[in-house]
Structures are given as structure tokens and as C-alpha cells.
Amino acid sequence: MRLAWLDDARGAGRPSRRYVVTSHAQEHLPKDHLAVALDTLARLEELGGEEEVRRTARHAFREIEERFTAAVDGRETALQDRTRILARVLDEAGYAGTLRHFGAGLGVIELTVALHYLYDTPEDRLVWDVGHQTYPHKILTGRRDRMHTLRQLGGISGFPQRAESPYDTFGTAHSSTSISAALGMALAAKHKGEDRRAVAIIGDGAMTAGMAFEALNNAGVADCDLLVILNDNDMSISPPVGALNRYLAQLMSGQFYAAAKNVGKTVLRPVPPLLELAKRFEQQAKGMVVPATLFEKFGFNYIGPIDGHDLDSLLPTLENIKSLKGPQFLHVVTKKGYGYKLAEADPVAYHGPSKFDPAIGLVKPSTPPAKTFTQVFGDWLCDMAAHDSRLVGITPAMREGSGMVEFHQRFPSRYYDVGIAEQHAVTFAAGMACEGLKPVVAIYSTFLQRGYDQLIHDVALQNLPVVFAIDRGGLVGADGATHHGAYDLSYLACIPNMVVMAPADENECRQMLSTGFRHAGPAAVRYPRGSGAGVAPLAALDGLPFGKGEIRRDRQGTDAKAPRIAILSFGTLLYPALEAAEALDATVVNMRWAKPLDTALLLAVAVTLVHTSSRSAAAVASIGSPNLLAIRTLAVLAGLWGSAMVLLRLRAGSMEPKRTFSPAMRKISCSRARLAR
């Protein structure tokens, strides 16, 4: 037993029971702490139901509140100091370890506090771009006691979600939508005669997307009250790129700015009473050299830049802006991971870490984890680049997530990070392909949706040889619906000239990438997040036969009365399909290609499934995302529309329905046969 019931401990503010970990459990705790925690929760639920578990969770958060109260000690503490204390308490309590998008939230604590302090939320609308940074926002808006459920089934979302809270005014997760949404809200308020404010908080990385500038262009001529806050932390997910970011960095670090900001201090140093005037002059010096002109040309009133961690600057500035009419643009400078030195030092690693001890930081696992599909792609990219000088790699600001770090290091002149600009990435690749290069676009499935028109118009219709390495295909877990790659097989299969592959394991992934690279037109290799079955990739770059699947298991039984089943598998569900086939004695087909379908193989499988008995059926199942496509295809080949269970007989290579069908089925099949003729 790992958990012992110590005694009843009923009382105000106390849990109904107290438990202790037994000595036996203590022996296993250092290496088996997760199992102990799960056993504890299970025992709590068994004894006290779900409410007991919830009560325990609430108790944990009350402890955080008590720590904060003790740290403040009832004294009048400045809002800035209280914010810093809260951040420290969360770190010390290990709360950081429950988070996912960690560094982004730490960077906007002060800004979040200031916005909720000054604006009448949720009546005033706050629209957070992407949503990585909204954990402080969720804590302040009534969800503190549910943060332990973050990114879990039935828990709160890792992104703003309208159904979760009225304070989440707009659902986000893809970048660069905030200005458009906030502008729509501001104009809607004006249309309805309502006096409320709309604020868009957008990062410098998200500002690289064309959609953000489309919104700025529209907002600048719109007669409405809109505030855009540029959270400039010199960081998106990967290190930021692009002319705008370079411009901001150069201005903030340039000699002219450094000299300008010091002029007032130099001149007024002998006159101490005028020191405050010197500080104001410094702010004016900033306005002379920062991109005020750029945003004011869009029709905005530009303010900034100001320190996003200095509440003494944030609060009065935001309060003044509230009284201004028309489109306003506030430029704040923050630091990703602010307040936690390890996150400040490595913002990429701490962007989306798994659970960790904040006192120690991220620790590499003692045993190397299984190779992921992303790593397989990264290795292949480097190997193929060494083999073929025409290869160039393109990413829309996802160097780390797409496995392109080594490629960037080894082939810097052939690596292109275009920023958060998926549409541009696709057409940029098309332009390179027109000139004889072989572009490989590494992109998440959910983000490729943003370049769909370019995929059709600029790549597919011109039949250009662009390889799309599509990561995060299928369900991706805790990031939820906005990040699921649930649509790619459907939206890719209908595009002319496009071929689509779905690898079953790591080796197939490598070989399919080689196949797509050698294809004379557009090709997509779609693979899931994480690791696969553990099949070591072969070093060769030979590829696979074009458009051909394979039979991985044949039906073994000879019983004429037993149902004959074939499982058509697409992608990584091949291995669960093989397990199921052992119990069902089914044929298993590794289809490999979602487009083109291997119809010759499907026909061959159909032949083996045909039985002469009227009571037998050839049951065709499919595992994987394109199941309806596969089932319908086989049904069409059989002369029947929309049927997953097909009863067939083959004569001299053609299909004909068995005469013992029901009248309704006979009518359908005969009609289809006439149409076919």
C-alpha cells in the first residue's frame, strides 16, 4: 500500500481527511512519483468521490494564496511589487511546472495586471494574439482554482476560448488575428451605439504576418476607438526574422538613439530640479527615432516604446490612452520569461516546456527518448541537402518545432525562415521551384491551412515540384482543436497534381520524403507529432514505389463461413491494425498513399475477399483519417455507392453483384452497373 489514511481532519478550511505516504512508497518516490500521485488521486476519488479530488486541488491553490498574503504581510505594497511577489510565489510553489506556454506568460504579467486594472473587462474587449501569453489573464479572471486542469481533457484551454469565459472575448491560437478581430469589435460597438473599448495585444513575431498589416491598413481609416499594443519581446517561438524586427532592434540599440536619450541628462545634470524634465526628454528622444512614422502612416497615433515591466509607466500611459479617440498604437518592450532567470536565458526552450522543477529547470532525460518523426525529417533534410545541391529548406518561423536547427547550422545559405507568413512561404517556394530549385516547406498541418489558396493557385495548378513536410498531422493532444491537423488529407486530396503520402513508421517517413523530393510535381508527406513504432530509418535515400501500397498481413483462416475482413490502414495506425487483425484474422493493407490510391491493390484484395455463399460478406474496414475515402473507393470499384460492407463476385476481371442480394440492394447495384456501362 502506498497511501495510508491518517485520521479525520474536518474543520474550517481543512480537508475532510489527511493522508500520509507509507514507508514503502517512500522507497519508490524518487523514481516513481508520478505513479504515487496517480494512486493518490485514485484513492481520494474512491473514498470521497470527485469532490474530494477537487477539494484537495482547491487546498493546493489556497496554499499559494496564503504564501502570497504572508509575503505581502498586510502592508501597503505598490502594484508593481505585488505583481513581482505573485510571480515569485508561483515559481516557488512549483506552479510553473504545470504550465506549457511558460515564458510568454511570464513576460506579460505586469501588462496583464495593468489592462485588467484600468479597463472594464469583460465589457471592454481584450483580444490576445495567439494566446500563448494568457495564463496570467486566466488566473486574474476567475480560473485560478482550475489551472491544474490546464490543457487536460475536461480542463481549461491553453488558449483563449469564448465558451470558457466571458473574459476570453475571441478564440485564438493562430497568430496575427487580434487586430482584425478587435477592429471588428470596435466598429460593432460603434454600430450598436455602445461605449466600450477594444484592445488588441500582438507580439512582434505576429506582426510579420500580412494579415496584421491588412488590419492596420483598414483600422487606420476606420472611425472607431481601437488600441493596438505591440508586445515587443524580440521573440516569437524561433528567433524573430524580417525587416520590421531588424528595424526595431537597430533603432533601440543604435548610437543615435543612445546619444539622443542622454542629451537631456547631460544638459540638465547641473540643475537637479529639472531631472524629471530630462526623463521626459528621454521619452521624446525615443519618439524621434522609433517607428512612429511607420505606424502613423497607417493612421495610428503612436505612443512608446515604454518598459512593459514598469507599472509606473504602464498605468499612467494606458490611462491617458483611454481618453483618446481614434486608433491608438502603444509599443511596449518586454522580456520573454521575465522574472525566471532560466527562461530569460533560453526563451526558446522555455516557450513550451513539459513539467519541470522550477528550482532546477529543464533536465535532459537520463535515457534518450525515442526518435520523433520531426527528427526523422530533420535528419533526412540534411542528408538530402548533402546529396542534392538544389534542395532549399523553408519554414514560417518554426525552425525548432519543425526540426530544422541542424539544417540551418550546416546549410545556412539554403535555409529560409520567412517569419509567421504561411501564405508567403508557399508562394516563395513556388518562385524558387520555377527557377530550378527543389524547395522543401516544413510546416505544421494546422498552419498550412493559412496558405491554402497559394497551395492551389501558385503551386498545384502550375505543377511545381515543391515538397510539403507536414508535421503534426492528426490529433496533437493538449493544444486542442485549433492545432489538430484534422483536415489535411481532405483538403490536399482534392487539389489537382498533388500527391499525398502518410507514413506508417519512421523508416517509411524518410523514404516517402525521398519519393516526394524526386517527384516532378507537388508532393506532401504527412506525419504525426511525436514518435512512431520505433522502426529505425534506413540510411538510403532510395524512396518507395510511386503510388503503391503493400499487404502486411494475409488472412490465415480457411473457414468458408467466417467473415472475410480487410483493414486498409493509412499512416501510423498500421501497427494497431496489425494487432486487431490477429484477433479478427483479417488482411491488413498498408495503403501508404492517400492520393493516388492504389486501386490495383484494392481490386486484388477484393478478389481474395469474395465468397460464393450468400450468407458471407467481404467486410472492408479502414483505420486512419481517410477511412471514408478508402471505403467508398472500394465500394465504387464493386459497383455500389456508399456501402462499407460489399458483397461481390468477380467475373473475368469485372465486378457484378451476387444474385442473392435483397431487392433494394439489387436495384441500387444494377442501376450503378448500367451507369458504369
Side-chain angles (χ1 to χ4, degrees):
M1 183 174 177
R2 295 181 177 176
L3 191 70
W5 176 18
L6 182 62
D7 60 15
D8 287 324
R10 298 187 183 276
R14 303 179 68 186
S16 59
R17 296 184 179 92
R18 292 192 297 168
Y19 300 88
V20 295
V21 179
T22 64
S23 57
H24 177 71
Q26 291 285 0
E27 297 174 2
H28 298 274
L29 193 58
K31 62 181 179 180
D32 200 23
H33 55 279
L34 179 59
V36 172
L38 294 175
D39 285 353
T40 301
L41 290 175
R43 183 65 172 162
L44 285 173
E45 188 172 16
E46 178 184 341
L47 294 172
E50 184 178 348
E51 181 56 31
E52 182 72 18
V53 178
R54 293 183 180 276
R55 187 180 293 111
T56 302
R58 288 194 297 269
H59 176 73
F61 283 97
R62 280 200 301 271
E63 183 181 348
I64 293 173
E65 185 176 10
E66 291 169 0
R67 291 190 186 190
F68 173 74
T69 303
V72 176
D73 195 25
R75 63 183 185 275
E76 290 293 329
T77 310
L79 185 58
Q80 182 175 356
D81 294 333
R82 295 172 71 89
T83 305
R84 295 183 186 279
I85 291 170
L86 176 60
R88 189 185 73 243
V89 167
L90 291 174
D91 285 347
E92 292 173 351
Y95 178 72
T98 69
L99 305 184
R100 180 64 177 173
H101 295 111
F102 178 63
L106 289 179
V108 296
I109 289 178
E110 293 86 358
L111 178 61
T112 306
V113 171
L115 287 170
H116 281 290
Y117 180 75
L118 290 171
Y119 284 86
D120 182 21
T121 58
E123 179 63 21
D124 290 332
R125 312 302 201 221
L126 302 183
V127 183
W128 301 89
D129 209 281
V130 184
H132 292 156
Q133 74 279 49
T134 54
Y135 296 168
H137 161 79
K138 290 176 181 276
I139 293 172
L140 292 176
T141 54
R143 286 165 279 183
R144 183 183 65 180
D145 61 348
R146 296 180 60 206
M147 291 300 290
H148 67 283
T149 70
L150 186 71
R151 304 174 75 250
Q152 299 175 26
L153 182 64
I156 61 176
S157 172
F159 301 95
Q161 191 176 91
R162 281 170 53 83
E164 185 178 294
S165 170
Y167 291 90
D168 292 358
T169 60
F170 193 75
T172 58
H174 289 186
S175 81
S176 316
T177 63
S178 60
I179 303 176
S180 298
L183 175 61
M185 294 174 180
L187 287 173
K190 180 183 178 182
H191 179 77
K192 296 164 65 178
E194 298 173 350
D195 183 20
R196 65 167 182 265
R197 297 292 189 268
V199 182
I201 305 98
I202 185 170
D204 54 311
M207 282 294 295
T208 63
M211 185 175 178
F213 284 90
E214 292 173 15
L216 288 173
N217 186 57
N218 186 193
V221 296
D223 184 17
C224 65
D225 298 330
L226 171 69
L227 170 60
V228 175
I229 298 177
L230 173 62
N231 177 29
D232 182 4
N233 61 15
D234 199 36
M235 194 71 214
S236 50
I237 298 176
S238 297
V241 298
L244 176 62
N245 178 269
R246 186 177 299 172
Y247 180 45
L248 293 174
Q250 287 176 348
L251 288 170
M252 291 294 95
S253 62
Q255 292 299 315
F256 178 62
Y257 168 66
K261 78 173 184 177
N262 287 321
V263 166
K265 293 179 181 179
T266 301
V267 173
L268 299 173
R269 187 178 291 119
V271 193
L274 299 181
L275 182 61
E276 183 64 27
L277 181 61
K279 293 180 179 179
R280 294 181 181 181
F281 190 90
E282 177 182 342
Q283 295 297 321
Q284 294 299 317
K286 293 180 182 180
M288 294 169 57
V289 295
V290 299
T293 302
L294 171 66
F295 296 109
E296 287 183 349
K297 290 296 184 182
F298 277 107
F300 282 78
N301 175 39
Y302 176 90
I303 302 106
I306 65 173
D307 185 351
H309 302 298
D310 183 3
L311 283 171
D312 291 335
S313 295
L314 274 175
L315 289 171
T317 301
L318 286 170
E319 193 164 19
N320 290 336
I321 290 174
K322 282 184 66 180
S323 63
L324 301 178
K325 296 294 184 180
Q328 310 295 321
F329 194 100
L330 174 63
H331 182 178
V332 302
V333 179
T334 62
K335 189 175 186 62
K336 202 168 185 177
Y338 183 73
Y340 185 54
K341 297 301 182 183
L342 295 176
E344 290 181 18
D346 193 354
V348 174
Y350 284 87
H351 170 74
S354 56
K355 291 184 178 182
F356 66 96
D357 183 347
I360 300 173
L362 298 177
V363 179
K364 292 184 178 179
S366 55
T367 57
K371 178 166 288 190
T372 64
F373 283 95
T374 302
Q375 291 169 325
V376 170
F377 164 73
D379 294 343
W380 171 87
L381 190 66
C382 291
D383 293 345
M384 185 59 79
H387 179 76
D388 193 325
S389 61
R390 298 174 300 166
L391 184 149
V392 292
I394 301 170
T395 177
M398 294 300 293
R399 182 187 65 179
E400 285 77 12
S402 295
M404 299 183 72
V405 173
E406 185 179 354
F407 176 79
H408 183 198
Q409 295 170 346
R410 292 179 56 185
F411 305 96
S413 64
R414 296 154 66 180
Y415 167 81
Y416 298 92
D417 186 343
V418 301
I420 304 176
E422 292 84 1
Q423 294 171 292
H424 166 60
V426 175
T427 303
F428 175 66
M432 285 191 153
C434 287
E435 299 302 320
L437 298 181
K438 296 283 287 188
V440 178
V441 180
I443 192 167
Y444 287 11
S445 173
T446 183
F447 299 145
L448 183 57
Q449 297 164 188
R450 314 187 84 181
Y452 191 59
D453 179 65
Q454 290 71 26
L455 193 67
I456 298 171
H457 185 275
D458 300 335
V459 176
L461 293 184
Q462 302 187 87
N463 200 27
L464 294 173
V466 178
V467 177
F468 294 93
I470 304 175
D471 205 335
R472 273 62 168 181
L475 302 183
V476 299
D479 279 339
T482 58
H483 279 56
H484 290 329
Y487 311 107
D488 46 18
L489 289 167
S490 297
Y491 72 64
L492 290 171
C494 64
I495 297 178
N497 297 322
M498 178 67 69
V499 300
V500 186
M501 293 164 272
D505 51 47
E506 297 88 340
N507 181 54
E508 277 199 353
C509 183
R510 180 178 174 92
Q511 304 309 320
M512 285 180 177
L513 288 164
S514 296
T515 303
F517 186 78
R518 294 190 173 93
H519 179 57
V525 180
R526 181 255 201 190
Y527 45 90
R529 177 182 182 180
S531 56
V535 180
L538 299 175
L541 299 169
D542 299 333
L544 297 171
F546 188 87
K548 299 297 183 182
E550 62 171 356
I551 297 176
R552 291 291 294 266
R553 185 189 188 278
D554 280 311
R555 179 177 179 269
Q556 304 298 314
T558 58
D559 185 356
K561 296 182 179 181
R564 302 187 178 187
I565 302 172
I567 303 176
L568 312 180
S569 175
F570 295 79
T572 55
L573 289 175
L574 171 67
Y575 292 93
L578 289 169
E579 293 180 13
E582 291 296 325
L584 299 171
D585 189 24
T587 298
V588 177
V589 185
N590 180 20
M591 294 299 296
R592 287 178 169 166
W593 295 77
K595 182 188 179 187
L597 283 171
D598 191 350
T599 54
L601 181 60
L602 289 175
L603 283 168
V605 171
V607 170
T608 65
L609 296 178
V610 171
H611 194 269
T612 57
S613 171
S614 62
R615 296 183 179 180
S616 298
V620 181
S622 174
I623 291 184
S625 297
N627 55 342
L628 293 179
L629 176 64
I631 292 172
R632 185 170 294 176
T633 300
L634 191 57
V636 169
L637 292 171
L640 300 171
W641 284 106
S643 178
M645 304 290 285
V646 266
L647 211 60
L648 309 171
R649 183 170 66 183
L650 282 119
R651 287 184 180 175
S654 64
M655 293 189 185
E656 176 182 316
K658 193 169 179 62
R659 299 299 180 187
T660 52
F661 277 162
S662 68
M665 289 293 292
R666 190 182 304 119
K667 182 179 180 181
I668 294 173
S669 60
C670 290
S671 298
R672 180 73 185 99
R674 285 194 296 271
L675 288 172
R677 288 195 294 269

